[in-house]
Amino acid sequence: MNNSNDAVVQGTSNDAAVSRESAARLGYINDPFIRYFVKRPQRRAPLINRGTHSRFDGMQRIIRQFVRKSSSKCQIVSLGAGMDTLYFLLRQQQEQPWRIFEIDFTEITAKKAAAIYKTSALRSLLPQDMAVAKGGTELHSHDYTLISGDLREFATSVVPKLMARGFDCSQPTLFLSECVLIYLDPQHSDQILDWITDNMKHAGILTYEQILPHDRFGQMMIENLRARGLELRGLHAYPTLQSTSQRFLDRGWHSAVAVDLATYHEKLVCEDEQSRLAKIEFMDEWEEFRLLAQHYAFTFAYTADTAPFNSMSMEQI
Ligand SMILES: C[S@@+](CC[C@H](N)C(=O)[O-])C[C@H]1O[C@@H](n2cnc3c(N)ncnc32)[C@H](O)[C@@H]1O
């Protein structure tokens, strides 16, 4: 990947933040912090807001189970965190893990660090020992660390930075990849998973990525992104629900389960929540929503049959 491609990939963090802000402003999801990271808000179409709701709900569901069921020293590592507001959401609700580490390209972490630093509603939630580091491109504190780095150099350059900030390989750790690993060559994303496999006993991962490149909708999705200079490099290596979970089992992980967003929305978002959503906006593009949602999947996997992972699942709230 050359630098101009990197710049396009970095731009996807703004797309994700704009969609999150749209869903938050309309009341689909509860995220009072995302607005501080969006310069030019846009109202997304109802089907996109619905998708953002299920995406947010699914990620939060696993993350909150992990934090609630863990012993005191649990860690979250968000790969390609973009403008995700996870730390602030958990902090506000007093459901914090021991440590949260966020990693992204320097261009993104610099923007995020600046937004946090200049916004008192965000800064006041960070601990007293918060310090701006590396020329304003990183934030360091005892429980929240924003690290700049390239995930393609995970073992050689990201891991040493994590270690220097107190990352502990022996503690239960949940890795997150929300539309991130899909942008890496499979060789690079596999190296991250291999590092986890080789170095961590109690690790889990929650990914949310695109699937199904071969049908008409998948082809259209690929072409639309390609027109913007975006390549879903991991899509062909792990194209189906089955293969997204099998990649973990092939590495000897204890469990891996994948569910697509259409199924999540239909079966795992409860009736009360569905009727609350229906009152926010009228939506009649159900066919289109289903098609879109079938092309995104959550995968939850963990390395060993240990707590808290072995008592967590996408079905639980
Ligand atoms: C679609 S955005 C998702 C951001 C965030 N996870 C979310 O869901 O809001 C993808 C993010 O991955 C980051 N990313 C992609 N490739 C990366 C790499 N090689 N190293 C570091 N970050 C990367 C991008 O900069 C971007 O912030």
Side-chain angles (χ1 to χ4, degrees), residues 172-184:
T173 302
L174 180 65
F175 289 82
L176 305 175
S177 163
E178 195 176 341
C179 292
V180 178
L181 293 185
I182 200 84
Y183 290 112
L184 305 186

Side-chain angles (χ1 to χ4, degrees), residues 186-217:
Q187 156 212 353
H188 291 126
S189 57
D190 283 347
Q191 276 165 11
I192 299 177
L193 302 186
D194 288 340
W195 185 88
I196 298 172
T197 312
D198 294 344
N199 293 281
M200 302 203 59
K201 277 207 186 80
H202 314 292
I205 191 165
L206 175 62
T207 68
Y208 172 81
E209 315 275 5
Q210 289 90 337
I211 52 167
L212 305 184
H214 300 300
D215 62 16
R216 268 186 63 198
F217 189 94

